[in-house]
Amino acid sequence: TETAIDGVKKGKSKEVCGYPISIFFIVVNEFCERFSYYGMRAVLVLYFRYFLQFDDDLATSIYHTFVALCYLTPILGAIIADSWLGKFKTIIYLSIVYAIGQVVMAVSAVNDITDSDRNGTPDSLTFHITMSMLGLLLIALGTGGIKPCVAAFGGDQFQDHQAKQRGTFFSVFYLCINGGSLLSTIITPLLRAQECGIHSQQKCYPLAFGVPAALMVVSLVVFIAGSGMYHKTKPQGNIMLAVCKCIGFAISNRFKHRSSVHPKRTHWMDWAEERYDKLLIAQIKMVLKVLFLYIPLPMFWTLFDQKVSEIRWKLMSMLFMFTVNPIFILTLVPIMDKIVYPLIKKCGLNFTPLRRMTVGMFLAAMAFVAAAVVQIQIDKTLPSFPSASQSQLKLLNMGSNTLMVKLSNNYSIELQAAQATENYITFEEESIKVSLPNSTISRTVVLPKEKRQTLLIPSNVSASWEVVMNVSAGAHSFGSIGSSQASNYSFLSNGKATFTITNGVNTCEYSREFGFGSSYTLLIPSNFMWGPTCWEFILAVEDIKPNSFHMGWQIPQYFLITCGEVVFSVTGLEFSYSQAPSNMKAVLQAGWLFTVAVGNFIVLIVAEIAQIEEQWAEFFLFASLLVAVCIIFSIMAHFYTYTDPTAIEAQFRDKSDNESHQERLEMEKKHSIDHHDENDEQKQTKM
């Protein structure tokens, strides 16, 4: 069923609309695998925080460490694929490891395993923590290991004359990544919100992890089903070891012949010609050219990862974050591929892959300029909170008479009955003295730094209320509130809320509309009276104004960065494959993914070094850095010469075959001459 041609096993794969049927198995495999990965990742921090009971810092650190591992292990997978097992077997074996990891994660989330007293809480978290860390390690090894192989293996299915179809494949491949991401980040949190369990009903983490595990098994089965149709490139020995040795010898040989006496060579890798095959040297040159171009690319991923950072773009709702970007990608990829690029080509513009990537980087920079502008407008609507050396205080008169209040800095305030100061007062002191000029009563107030406080002044400054009331708002209960006392703040949903006040005999209802981000203190004054109009006595003191800046203004920045992602990332995948030699395609894909890992590290480094308090300034900083990198990359791209690895390798192989043929002819000629001389000798002896 298979034939081997030039180290490639060519399966029987028919074509549909010019595309090999085998790529449909690869595309479905990628969709299921991405659903599995992003679905598990969507609830991972919640699992750390609420099931394993990690604090926020530890949960965030482990999460980012896991993501970093997922982008570092592609190097290992690429080496295994190109040097030992080949891409097909590497995908199979590491997918099995991947699926086992997902199953282990699902098992680690079953609290009934260690819940012997059946109270809904695991008796020992050690088992669950150990299992989850083992599962994450296996997942990182599996997803990272197959990541460079799947894209490269898909590219291997196309013949040399199918360059256009191969470009479309990488676009569809990227669509599948985001399609799986979109569905999983919506479905998996819904599964987690369900309640399940054998002995007690808890948040259903086993189901949230179990569905991604099932999708990973489906992904593996689908990939194996297309085995007979794939074109499988055989590995050509330990290529990475040969590359490292060849580069090392070239450097050492160049150092030995650094004297001006020795003639210069065209490329520093040419100094390896004394020991290594010229074809290998040519292949290494191709890889080094592309890797050199990769040097500025991590800056793009630095900004891109800011987009999905809950800390940096924190004003974005989670639903907005996880759905708008994939929807834009699913829309823009076919538009770019079928409309924009053909129109640019018809206009006579040579929109090369590197130019596309440059434009993608510029669009990402513009996205952060837009984010900075939006942040400036948001900051105008936000209250001014105290700095690290400041504290703020608001005074609230709970009585029915006007009060004159004097602060320790000789600042006097007139407070109307049942009224509060309009704004918070900022202090640098650690404590202040608050007094009433017409009485001997005073109070010393401690002011914690970076905090806001409200000082309640009762109606009878020398006595306290004795009436006790219960306050609730729907499912939120504020408990019993004594006279001259206050409850803690409670979160309410946006919109209308109704508060029920009761003393066990009488009941009063108070309703109010609440906007996003607002904060209020509701005052029940001393002259409060029960009755049909009791709600009129209640005073609402606005601590923080509701948000007045619409979330829709954030769509342009998402649109720009998604356009940048589509133009940059899809093109980068195709470029990495097309410029890689046949024996190092997975390695170059791993190099492309490694730039993502480096970008994540840059985020942490810059965030620690910069220490910029204003978020809009940080956005401008990242945008400026990317514009600078974009200019550098455009200069590097200008001097880059595109190559056809297949043609170059064929040229060297033909040259090698010709040299071998010439050597055989010379050997045969020499053997013929020697044989002729021997016959002459024999003839002379006989005579």
Side-chain angles (χ1 to χ4, degrees):
T1 60
E2 294 179 336
T3 57
I5 302 175
D6 295 333
V8 179
K9 281 188 177 180
K10 296 184 178 286
K12 292 182 178 180
S13 181
K14 297 181 180 179
E15 293 186 0
V16 176
C17 300
Y19 295 88
I21 294 179
S22 57
I23 67 164
F24 295 101
F25 292 92
I26 297 172
V27 164
V28 174
N29 161 266
E30 182 65 14
F31 175 85
C32 295
E33 187 274 326
R34 290 291 86 187
F35 186 104
S36 175
Y37 174 73
Y38 284 108
M40 177 274 303
R41 217 175 79 168
V43 296
L44 190 58
V45 173
L46 296 174
Y47 174 69
F48 288 155
R49 187 68 186 85
Y50 298 109
F51 187 92
L52 298 182
Q53 299 177 13
F54 292 164
D55 58 36
D56 290 339
D57 292 336
L58 181 58
T60 304
S61 298
I62 295 178
Y63 174 80
H64 285 295
T65 302
F66 166 70
V67 174
L69 276 175
C70 291
Y71 284 101
L72 289 175
T73 49
I75 298 173
L76 177 63
I79 293 174
I80 294 173
D82 282 342
S83 303
W84 181 26
L85 294 176
K87 290 186 273 291
F88 176 74
K89 289 184 178 179
T90 301
I91 295 171
I92 295 292
Y93 296 154
L94 290 183
S95 292
I96 294 173
V97 173
Y98 192 171
I100 293 173
Q102 291 281 31
V103 172
V104 170
M105 279 298 296
V107 172
S108 74
V110 180
N111 66 299
D112 293 298
I113 294 176
T114 60
D115 185 17
S116 57
D117 53 5
R118 301 184 180 182
N119 64 349
T121 304
D123 297 334
S124 174
L125 288 175
T126 304
F127 169 80
H128 299 279
I129 293 173
T130 303
M131 290 291 287
S132 62
M133 294 302 109
L134 175 62
L136 290 178
L137 182 62
L138 294 175
I139 291 171
L141 179 62
T143 186
I146 69 174
K147 200 182 290 284
C149 302
V150 177
F153 189 67
D156 288 346
Q157 307 309 305
F158 296 90
Q159 304 299 321
D160 296 338
H161 65 278
Q162 294 177 307
K164 182 180 178 181
Q165 288 89 338
R166 185 172 58 212
T168 304
F169 161 74
F170 282 109
S171 297
V172 174
F173 187 82
Y174 206 75
L175 275 176
C176 290
I177 292 174
N178 288 277
S181 168
L182 172 62
L183 289 178
S184 63
T185 49
I186 293 174
I187 294 173
T188 312
L190 295 177
L191 297 176
R192 176 253 176 195
Q194 306 301 313
E195 292 191 349
C196 62
I198 301 173
H199 305 304
S200 60
Q201 299 294 304
Q202 304 293 331
K203 293 295 182 183
C204 205
Y205 289 103
L207 182 62
F209 290 139
V211 170
L215 262 292
M216 191 58 226
V217 174
V218 171
S219 171
L220 178 60
V221 171
V222 169
F223 186 75
I224 294 175
S227 175
M229 303 180 186
Y230 298 140
H231 293 185
K232 304 168 188 174
T233 305
K234 290 183 178 180
Q236 300 179 18
N238 197 338
I239 187 65
M240 287 304 298
L241 181 61
V243 168
C244 293
K245 286 183 176 181
C246 185
I247 293 174
F249 178 76
I251 294 172
S252 63
N253 197 32
R254 177 68 183 90
F255 183 76
K256 290 177 183 178
H257 299 84
R258 61 186 180 276
S259 174
S260 57
V261 177
H262 302 283
K264 293 183 178 180
R265 301 188 183 182
T266 307
H267 193 279
W268 62 271
M269 276 302 302
D270 293 334
W271 289 95
E273 289 180 350
E274 283 85 345
R275 182 177 296 178
Y276 290 92
D277 183 53
K278 290 184 179 180
L279 174 59
L280 177 62
I281 295 172
Q283 291 171 330
I284 294 174
K285 287 179 183 178
M286 288 185 273
V287 170
L288 293 178
K289 276 177 61 179
V290 178
L291 291 178
F292 178 71
L293 275 178
Y294 283 174
I295 293 175
L297 300 190
M299 198 61 214
F300 173 85
W301 297 114
T302 299
L303 264 72
F304 183 78
D305 289 333
Q306 295 291 308
K307 182 239 345 173
V308 293
S309 172
E310 187 178 349
I311 298 173
R312 301 295 173 199
W313 288 25
K314 57 190 175 186
L315 297 174
M316 196 79 68
S317 72
M318 295 301 289
L319 180 62
F320 197 77
M321 182 189 310
F322 286 129
T323 57
V324 170
N325 177 248
I327 289 173
F328 275 158
I329 289 177
L330 294 173
T331 306
L332 288 173
V333 167
I335 290 175
M336 290 289 183
D337 199 39
K338 299 298 183 182
I339 299 175
V340 177
Y341 294 155
L343 282 177
I344 293 174
K345 188 176 181 180
K346 283 188 176 182
C347 292
L349 298 175
N350 186 17
F351 201 32
T352 61
L354 294 180
R355 289 176 182 173
R356 294 183 193 178
M357 294 171 67
T358 304
V359 171
M361 296 172 76
F362 181 76
L363 288 172
M366 291 303 99
F368 268 72
V369 171
V373 173
V374 170
Q375 189 63 48
I376 291 172
Q377 299 303 315
I378 292 175
D379 289 346
K380 292 179 181 179
T381 66
L382 295 179
S384 177
F385 291 103
S387 65
S389 61
Q390 297 176 331
S391 58
Q392 292 180 342
L393 183 69
K394 176 177 279 193
L395 305 178
L396 175 59
N397 180 9
M398 300 176 65
S400 56
N401 299 315
T402 302
L403 290 177
M404 286 295 298
V405 181
K406 185 178 180 181
L407 305 179
S408 57
N409 55 0
N410 295 322
Y411 179 62
S412 297
I413 302 171
E414 184 181 68
L415 285 177
Q416 299 295 324
Q419 295 290 331
T421 52
E422 184 177 356
N423 298 309
Y424 281 88
I425 306 169
T426 303
F427 297 94
E428 301 286 344
E429 298 88 345
E430 294 184 357
S431 65
I432 61 167
K433 187 177 182 181
V434 181
S435 60
L436 303 177
N438 299 328
S439 68
T440 59
I441 297 173
S442 64
R443 179 179 294 178
T444 299
V445 180
V446 178
L447 301 173
K449 300 300 180 184
E450 295 186 87
K451 299 291 184 182
R452 281 184 160 190
Q453 294 186 111
T454 299
L455 178 62
L456 306 178
I457 304 175
S459 58
N460 185 348
V461 294
S462 59
S464 60
W465 295 347
E466 296 180 356
V467 179
V468 178
M469 300 181 182
N470 291 322
V471 182
S472 63
H476 300 274
S477 178
F478 292 87
S480 297
I481 303 174
S483 58
S484 301
Q485 293 182 353
S487 69
N488 292 324
Y489 281 99
S490 181
F491 287 103
L492 300 175
S493 300
N494 174 63
K496 187 177 181 179
T498 300
F499 300 85
T500 303
I501 306 167
T502 179
N503 62 356
V505 178
N506 301 299
T507 300
C508 178
E509 288 191 350
Y510 172 79
S511 299
R512 185 179 180 85
E513 290 282 343
F514 292 97
F516 280 115
S518 59
S519 176
Y520 290 87
T521 297
L522 300 182
L523 173 63
I524 304 174
S526 58
N527 60 349
F528 175 82
M529 296 179 61
W530 301 101
T533 59
C534 60
W535 58 271
E536 294 180 352
F537 291 92
I538 299 173
L539 173 69
V541 178
E542 189 177 66
D543 299 327
I544 299 176
K545 295 181 182 294
N547 296 336
S548 58
F549 199 79
H550 198 278
M551 184 183 291
W553 285 105
Q554 295 177 106
I555 292 179
Q557 66 200 50
Y558 254 75
F559 178 77
L560 285 171
I561 201 165
T562 305
C563 287
E565 178 189 358
V566 169
V567 176
F568 178 86
S569 190
V570 177
T571 306
L573 280 172
E574 182 185 354
F575 175 79
S576 299
Y577 182 87
S578 65
Q579 298 297 294
S582 59
N583 57 348
M584 284 182 272
K585 291 191 180 295
V587 170
L588 211 49
Q589 290 287 328
W592 168 259
L593 295 169
F594 183 71
T595 62
V596 182
V598 176
N600 278 277
F601 288 122
I602 293 176
V603 172
L604 300 175
I605 294 170
V606 173
E608 288 296 323
I609 295 176
Q611 295 294 329
I612 300 174
E613 294 184 2
E614 298 292 342
Q615 196 171 28
W616 63 264
E618 186 172 348
F619 288 157
F620 272 126
L621 171 64
F622 279 109
S624 302
L625 289 174
L626 187 56
V627 168
V629 170
C630 183
I631 294 171
I632 295 171
F633 181 77
S634 64
I635 296 172
M636 296 169 64
H638 177 73
F639 292 99
Y640 181 84
T641 304
Y642 290 88
T643 59
D644 184 353
T646 305
I648 293 174
E649 290 172 347
Q651 180 183 354
F652 274 95
R653 288 193 180 99
D654 291 342
K655 187 176 180 181
S656 177
D657 291 343
N658 290 335
E659 289 177 354
S660 300
H661 181 64
Q662 189 66 29
E663 288 178 2
R664 284 198 302 271
L665 289 176
E666 290 179 359
M667 289 291 293
E668 289 175 1
K669 183 178 179 182
K670 183 179 178 182
H671 179 71
S672 176
I673 293 172
D674 291 343
H675 185 67
H676 179 71
D677 291 342
E678 184 181 342
N679 288 340
D680 287 345
E681 241 180 74
Q682 290 177 354
K683 288 178 181 179
Q684 288 175 2
T685 304
K686 287 179 180 178
M687 288 176 66

